[in-house]
Amino acid sequence: PPQPREVASLGEARAAVDEHLGASKFASKERCDLAAVEAHTGTSYAQALTVPDDVYAALKALNGAAALVLLPPNSTGLVVGSDSVVLMYDQHGGLKGLPPNERASLLTQAAGQPRAVRGDCFVGRLAYGAPAAGQLRLGGEAAPQLLTERGWLEAAQAAAKAAAKA
């Protein structure tokens, strides 16, 4: 299983995810989100096949991990302790034509923050170090704890509702 490791910032964690996501072998021009392509390039295409190969190659090479905080830090009485739960995914998945990730999309919906996630993603725990240090680090492995308890998901739903009202 993955081991916890120290990171200096969320940016450093996102860079590590970016490195993994990179140019995916699962990207497909036929699955491109044409509205996203138009928003990014400023050019409208009637069909994915009409997107020029050089434009698609540039879209496919984009890197950018998005971090979605499913559960804010310092929730109490949960299996993740005071760690936050974060989903990291490729923010350019639609441009690259990555396949839909139904499990991740369902997870975001269950956490009260629906997203159409495409391609690979990572669910992890982020923990803050000692208050004096103020360091951010990756928490322990998330999957076993998150699969066996739903309390964190209920807390995430409540936090999403509270954020929507604010």
Side-chain angles (χ1 to χ4, degrees):
Q3 297 299 314
R5 64 180 177 148
E6 299 291 325
V7 291
S9 67
L10 181 57
E12 186 178 322
R14 289 175 64 179
V17 172
D18 261 349
E19 184 179 322
H20 172 78
L21 294 175
S24 172
K25 63 182 177 184
F26 299 109
S28 171
K29 188 177 186 179
E30 290 79 22
R31 283 192 300 257
C32 282
D33 178 344
L34 294 176
V37 171
E38 181 179 2
H40 185 80
T41 64
T43 304
S44 176
Y45 298 98
Q47 297 178 8
L49 295 176
T50 62
V51 176
D53 289 340
D54 60 329
V55 171
Y56 178 67
L59 295 174
K60 189 175 172 182
L62 291 172
N63 283 334
L68 176 63
V69 178
L70 298 176
L71 178 67
N74 300 320
S75 300
T76 56
L78 302 174
V79 71
V80 295
S82 63
D83 294 355
S84 62
V85 177
V86 178
L87 173 78
M88 292 188 183
Y89 63 97
D90 191 335
Q91 67 183 358
H92 303 297
L95 291 171
K96 295 177 181 181
L98 295 175
N101 187 326
E102 296 299 326
R103 284 185 180 176
S105 298
L106 288 171
L107 179 62
T108 63
Q109 184 176 1
Q113 301 183 58
R115 300 280 192 287
V117 179
R118 289 177 166 229
D120 292 341
C121 69
F122 300 90
V123 177
R125 293 169 46 189
L126 290 179
Y128 289 94
Q135 292 181 328
L136 186 64
R137 60 184 171 80
L138 292 177
E141 185 181 6
Q145 296 100 342
L146 301 181
L147 291 175
T148 60
E149 185 194 281
R150 70 176 199 189
W152 77 270
L153 200 51
E154 292 169 349
Q157 291 170 356
K161 286 179 185 175
K165 289 180 182 178

mmCIF file of all heavy atoms in Angstrom, residues 1-7 16 123-125 137-144:
data_model
loop_
_atom_site.group_PDB
_atom_site.id
_atom_site.type_symbol
_atom_site.label_atom_id
_atom_site.label_comp_id
_atom_site.label_asym_id
_atom_site.label_seq_id
_atom_site.Cartn_x
_atom_site.Cartn_y
_atom_site.Cartn_z
ATOM 1 N N PRO A 1 0.831 -1.206 0.000
ATOM 2 C CA PRO A 1 0.000 0.000 0.000
ATOM 3 C C PRO A 1 0.868 1.258 0.000
ATOM 4 O O PRO A 1 2.001 1.219 0.454
ATOM 5 C CB PRO A 1 -0.800 -0.117 1.296
ATOM 6 C CG PRO A 1 -0.031 -1.041 2.167
ATOM 7 C CD PRO A 1 0.738 -1.939 1.254
ATOM 8 N N PRO A 2 0.308 2.362 -0.483
ATOM 9 C CA PRO A 2 1.063 3.620 -0.473
ATOM 10 C C PRO A 2 1.431 4.017 0.948
ATOM 11 O O PRO A 2 0.689 3.769 1.889
ATOM 12 C CB PRO A 2 0.086 4.633 -1.067
ATOM 13 C CG PRO A 2 -0.962 3.838 -1.737
ATOM 14 C CD PRO A 2 -1.016 2.509 -1.053
ATOM 15 N N GLN A 3 2.580 4.609 1.092
ATOM 16 C CA GLN A 3 3.046 5.057 2.399
ATOM 17 C C GLN A 3 2.853 6.562 2.525
ATOM 18 O O GLN A 3 3.029 7.296 1.551
ATOM 19 C CB GLN A 3 4.528 4.717 2.574
ATOM 20 C CG GLN A 3 4.802 3.227 2.552
ATOM 21 C CD GLN A 3 4.095 2.498 3.680
ATOM 22 O OE1 GLN A 3 4.121 2.936 4.820
ATOM 23 N NE2 GLN A 3 3.425 1.399 3.357
ATOM 24 N N PRO A 4 2.515 7.036 3.728
ATOM 25 C CA PRO A 4 2.414 8.489 3.924
ATOM 26 C C PRO A 4 3.757 9.145 3.624
ATOM 27 O O PRO A 4 4.803 8.544 3.846
ATOM 28 C CB PRO A 4 2.066 8.632 5.404
ATOM 29 C CG PRO A 4 1.545 7.305 5.812
ATOM 30 C CD PRO A 4 2.202 6.294 4.937
ATOM 31 N N ARG A 5 3.725 10.342 3.091
ATOM 32 C CA ARG A 5 4.971 11.058 2.865
ATOM 33 C C ARG A 5 4.745 12.540 3.093
ATOM 34 O O ARG A 5 3.650 13.057 2.885
ATOM 35 C CB ARG A 5 5.533 10.800 1.476
ATOM 36 C CG ARG A 5 4.679 11.302 0.360
ATOM 37 C CD ARG A 5 5.337 11.004 -0.975
ATOM 38 N NE ARG A 5 4.453 11.426 -2.028
ATOM 39 C CZ ARG A 5 4.866 11.884 -3.182
ATOM 40 N NH1 ARG A 5 6.132 11.971 -3.426
ATOM 41 N NH2 ARG A 5 3.999 12.240 -4.093
ATOM 42 N N GLU A 6 5.790 13.187 3.525
ATOM 43 C CA GLU A 6 5.723 14.614 3.821
ATOM 44 C C GLU A 6 5.774 15.416 2.523
ATOM 45 O O GLU A 6 6.529 15.089 1.607
ATOM 46 C CB GLU A 6 6.901 15.026 4.703
ATOM 47 C CG GLU A 6 6.941 14.327 6.050
ATOM 48 C CD GLU A 6 5.829 14.752 6.988
ATOM 49 O OE1 GLU A 6 5.438 15.939 6.964
ATOM 50 O OE2 GLU A 6 5.353 13.905 7.751
ATOM 51 N N VAL A 7 4.957 16.442 2.445
ATOM 52 C CA VAL A 7 5.022 17.396 1.344
ATOM 53 C C VAL A 7 5.005 18.787 1.938
ATOM 54 O O VAL A 7 4.431 19.012 3.006
ATOM 55 C CB VAL A 7 3.853 17.226 0.337
ATOM 56 C CG1 VAL A 7 3.982 15.933 -0.425
ATOM 57 C CG2 VAL A 7 2.522 17.328 1.010
ATOM 58 N N ALA A 16 2.974 16.127 -7.865
ATOM 59 C CA ALA A 16 3.202 14.684 -7.914
ATOM 60 C C ALA A 16 2.061 13.989 -8.667
ATOM 61 O O ALA A 16 2.286 13.056 -9.444
ATOM 62 C CB ALA A 16 3.335 14.117 -6.505
ATOM 63 N N VAL A 123 -7.759 9.608 -4.173
ATOM 64 C CA VAL A 123 -8.409 10.086 -2.954
ATOM 65 C C VAL A 123 -7.371 9.946 -1.861
ATOM 66 O O VAL A 123 -6.780 8.883 -1.677
ATOM 67 C CB VAL A 123 -9.665 9.256 -2.603
ATOM 68 C CG1 VAL A 123 -10.264 9.734 -1.285
ATOM 69 C CG2 VAL A 123 -10.688 9.347 -3.710
ATOM 70 N N GLY A 124 -7.124 11.020 -1.164
ATOM 71 C CA GLY A 124 -6.104 10.982 -0.121
ATOM 72 C C GLY A 124 -6.499 11.800 1.085
ATOM 73 O O GLY A 124 -7.456 12.580 1.042
ATOM 74 N N ARG A 125 -5.760 11.568 2.137
ATOM 75 C CA ARG A 125 -5.933 12.351 3.356
ATOM 76 C C ARG A 125 -4.812 13.374 3.424
ATOM 77 O O ARG A 125 -3.661 13.061 3.179
ATOM 78 C CB ARG A 125 -5.857 11.430 4.562
ATOM 79 C CG ARG A 125 -7.008 10.468 4.663
ATOM 80 C CD ARG A 125 -6.797 9.391 5.686
ATOM 81 N NE ARG A 125 -6.302 9.892 6.953
ATOM 82 C CZ ARG A 125 -5.876 9.106 7.930
ATOM 83 N NH1 ARG A 125 -5.883 7.799 7.779
ATOM 84 N NH2 ARG A 125 -5.446 9.614 9.056
ATOM 85 N N ARG A 137 0.929 17.709 5.127
ATOM 86 C CA ARG A 137 1.528 16.442 4.713
ATOM 87 C C ARG A 137 0.424 15.498 4.282
ATOM 88 O O ARG A 137 -0.733 15.668 4.648
ATOM 89 C CB ARG A 137 2.344 15.816 5.832
ATOM 90 C CG ARG A 137 1.542 15.506 7.067
ATOM 91 C CD ARG A 137 2.401 14.959 8.199
ATOM 92 N NE ARG A 137 1.627 14.878 9.405
ATOM 93 C CZ ARG A 137 0.778 13.908 9.687
ATOM 94 N NH1 ARG A 137 0.580 12.934 8.849
ATOM 95 N NH2 ARG A 137 0.106 13.909 10.819
ATOM 96 N N LEU A 138 0.824 14.512 3.483
ATOM 97 C CA LEU A 138 -0.142 13.497 3.114
ATOM 98 C C LEU A 138 -0.402 12.638 4.329
ATOM 99 O O LEU A 138 0.522 12.226 5.022
ATOM 100 C CB LEU A 138 0.397 12.636 1.960
ATOM 101 C CG LEU A 138 0.533 13.340 0.618
ATOM 102 C CD1 LEU A 138 1.137 12.386 -0.406
ATOM 103 C CD2 LEU A 138 -0.798 13.847 0.129
ATOM 104 N N GLY A 139 -1.670 12.354 4.587
ATOM 105 C CA GLY A 139 -2.027 11.493 5.707
ATOM 106 C C GLY A 139 -1.822 10.037 5.336
ATOM 107 O O GLY A 139 -1.239 9.718 4.303
ATOM 108 N N GLY A 140 -2.322 9.148 6.159
ATOM 109 C CA GLY A 140 -2.197 7.721 5.887
ATOM 110 C C GLY A 140 -3.040 7.309 4.696
ATOM 111 O O GLY A 140 -3.789 8.104 4.134
ATOM 112 N N GLU A 141 -2.914 6.062 4.320
ATOM 113 C CA GLU A 141 -3.683 5.558 3.187
ATOM 114 C C GLU A 141 -5.170 5.759 3.452
ATOM 115 O O GLU A 141 -5.674 5.487 4.532
ATOM 116 C CB GLU A 141 -3.386 4.073 2.973
ATOM 117 C CG GLU A 141 -4.064 3.533 1.750
ATOM 118 C CD GLU A 141 -3.797 2.055 1.541
ATOM 119 O OE1 GLU A 141 -3.187 1.422 2.393
ATOM 120 O OE2 GLU A 141 -4.227 1.558 0.516
ATOM 121 N N ALA A 142 -5.859 6.227 2.453
ATOM 122 C CA ALA A 142 -7.256 6.595 2.642
ATOM 123 C C ALA A 142 -8.228 5.467 2.335
ATOM 124 O O ALA A 142 -9.235 5.315 3.009
ATOM 125 C CB ALA A 142 -7.588 7.804 1.769
ATOM 126 N N ALA A 143 -7.963 4.679 1.319
ATOM 127 C CA ALA A 143 -8.957 3.731 0.816
ATOM 128 C C ALA A 143 -9.535 2.793 1.877
ATOM 129 O O ALA A 143 -10.758 2.699 1.984
ATOM 130 C CB ALA A 143 -8.393 2.943 -0.356
ATOM 131 N N PRO A 144 -8.726 2.078 2.662
ATOM 132 C CA PRO A 144 -9.339 1.137 3.618
ATOM 133 C C PRO A 144 -10.266 1.820 4.621
ATOM 134 O O PRO A 144 -11.364 1.346 4.874
ATOM 135 C CB PRO A 144 -8.141 0.508 4.323
ATOM 136 C CG PRO A 144 -7.010 0.672 3.392
ATOM 137 C CD PRO A 144 -7.276 1.967 2.661
#
